[in-house]
Amino acid sequence: MADAATTLDFEALGERIGAILRRGGLSDLHARALARVIAAGERDGAKSHGIYRIEGCLRTLKAGKVSPDAVPDLVDDGSGIIRVLAGGAFSPAAFALGVPRLAERARTHGLAALVLNDCVHFSALWPEVEALADEGLAALALCPSYATVAPVGGTRPLLGTNPFAFAWPRPDGPPYVFDFATSVAARGEIELHRRAGRPLPEGWAIDEDGAPTTDPAAALAGAMLPFGGHKGSAISTMVELLAGAMIGDLTSRGALDALGTTTLAPRHGELILAFSPERFAAGRPGDPFAAGESLFAAILAQGARLPSQRRFAARRSSEREGIALTADEVAMLDRLETLGLDAVS
Ligand code: NDP
Ligand code: PYC
């Protein structure tokens, strides 16, 4: 990358981020888990959930809106539902605790669910569904966020950007993975446009009066729009029901009411479902993985690309050449490591 000031490998970037988070007061368990997720975003060219998120984590810590050291608690009643109580800490350590039990239970029953409750959540969902695909399982993950999206036909924020991710394991390479907000774009993208002084594409947002806007600041003050009109609005509502109301946790409106701001990371729950394709296909003709490969080949044969293909290409490039950081990004990491919580207001 031409303007790269430095390149780091995944482990080195993770160490740098971990040091900043520990300096900010996070326990080693949480600093490590968070650092891996953030470094993975940067490695994979998923900038909206890369190092720019560190400041938000520190702000949330400084405001006392996340537990720096709660130890996640796994609750297993032997059923197909595994629950991890995060105790108000960030979500990645809770997910890491629950995933081996989820995988084991999905292999036994064909389908199992992991519920995360009471977690502070800001991360992308693809690392989670990929972790399950690495275990040979298909996976779905979904969670609310905080109310920043107007339902179709409405004008006021009510739904979250509510991400939805899916992974399907492939025999000879990285899994098929998609992961997107159910809003037209993730809120992180709006913030990145604001920081870069770039207008938003048409159709992403409305201002406080409900009028269409391409001004990121007006969009942040107004509301984002769901993707795909009524279809995205309904899928987002489903996320609120399944990964909020159903699991006994907050919806996006509840999360915003509790937090009172969108400048800190929200607290809510998450639902992750894991499926064993072999168990579902048992007794039926055909091999589900071969059928999947045939479908992917047909998609590619039309000149289309698979979701995550760009991300996996970015990962390969980072693994070969290192993760490139600009001078501004290096300066930001230096500042955060030197000042800790004093770096954020
Ligand atoms: P994008 O629109 O950037 O990408 C969505 C998905 O579509 C990716 O899997 C992407 O693959 C794929 N894709 C993009 N273009 C194509 C194409 N032409 N053909 C095939 N596939 C394509 O995602 P969003 O901006 O909506 O979301 C970004 C991230 O934000 C997600 O990881 C999400 O989890 C996260 N998020 C987290 C929230 C939270 O509360 N924790 C809330 C909202 C979002 P590729 O990556 O290869 O381009
Ligand atoms: O990018 O929309 C987003 C988001 C909200 C909470 C965490 N990420």
Side-chain angles (χ1 to χ4, degrees), residues 147-160:
T148 52
V149 178
V152 71
T155 56
R156 305 295 309 142
L158 176 61
L159 306 169

Side-chain angles (χ1 to χ4, degrees), residues 48-49 121-126 144-145 161 163 177-181 186 305-311:
S48 70
H49 290 76
H121 203 293
F122 71 92
S123 45
L125 300 186
W126 52 260
S145 53
T161 48
V177 178
F178 70 73
D179 176 19
F180 46 71
R305 77 160 168 96
L306 299 180
S308 292
Q309 212 170 300
R310 175 204 62 83
R311 199 165 53 70

Side-chain angles (χ1 to χ4, degrees), residues 15-27:
E15 285 300 322
R16 278 224 70 181
I17 299 168
I20 294 168
L21 295 171
R22 273 188 289 272
R23 171 99 167 79
L26 272 193
S27 69

Side-chain angles (χ1 to χ4, degrees), residues 186-277:
R187 195 166 173 84
E189 284 294 336
I190 312 266
E191 176 58 18
L192 290 175
H193 276 75
R194 189 190 66 77
R195 289 183 183 200
R198 280 187 285 131
L200 302 175
E202 305 271 351
W204 280 27
I206 51 180
D207 66 18
E208 279 181 296
D209 300 321
T213 184
T214 58
D215 174 0
L220 290 170
M224 297 166 63
L225 294 171
F227 82 95
H230 62 285
K231 301 180 186 182
S233 193
I235 292 173
S236 183
T237 304
M238 177 192 75
V239 173
E240 300 282 351
L241 294 171
L242 290 179
M246 185 180 84
I247 64 169
D249 219 307
L250 293 173
T251 59
S252 297
R253 184 163 64 179
L256 182 59
D257 287 348
L259 195 60
T261 174
T262 57
T263 61
L264 306 175
R267 176 170 167 164
H268 49 72
E270 182 181 351
L271 177 65
I272 302 112
L273 301 175
F275 309 81
S276 161

Side-chain angles (χ1 to χ4, degrees), residues 266-324:
R267 176 170 167 164
H268 49 72
E270 182 181 351
L271 177 65
I272 302 112
L273 301 175
F275 309 81
S276 161
E278 286 102 336
R279 295 297 304 267
F280 274 87
R284 298 292 305 165
D287 170 358
F289 299 109
E293 291 310 301
S294 161
L295 177 61
F296 301 141
I299 292 171
L300 294 168
Q302 294 193 16
R305 77 160 168 96
L306 299 180
S308 292
Q309 212 170 300
R310 175 204 62 83
R311 199 165 53 70
F312 289 133
R315 182 182 301 179
R316 284 193 297 276
S317 159
S318 295
E319 284 168 352
R320 221 175 28 246
E321 294 158 28
I323 303 168

Side-chain angles (χ1 to χ4, degrees), residues 114-153:
L114 172 62
V115 171
L116 305 184
N117 281 127
D118 306 326
C119 58
V120 174
H121 203 293
F122 71 92
S123 45
L125 300 186
W126 52 260
E128 301 180 354
V129 292
E130 269 190 53
L132 288 156
D134 288 347
E135 299 281 336
L137 299 164
L140 266 177
L142 44 153
C143 70
S145 53
Y146 33 41
T148 52
V149 178
V152 71

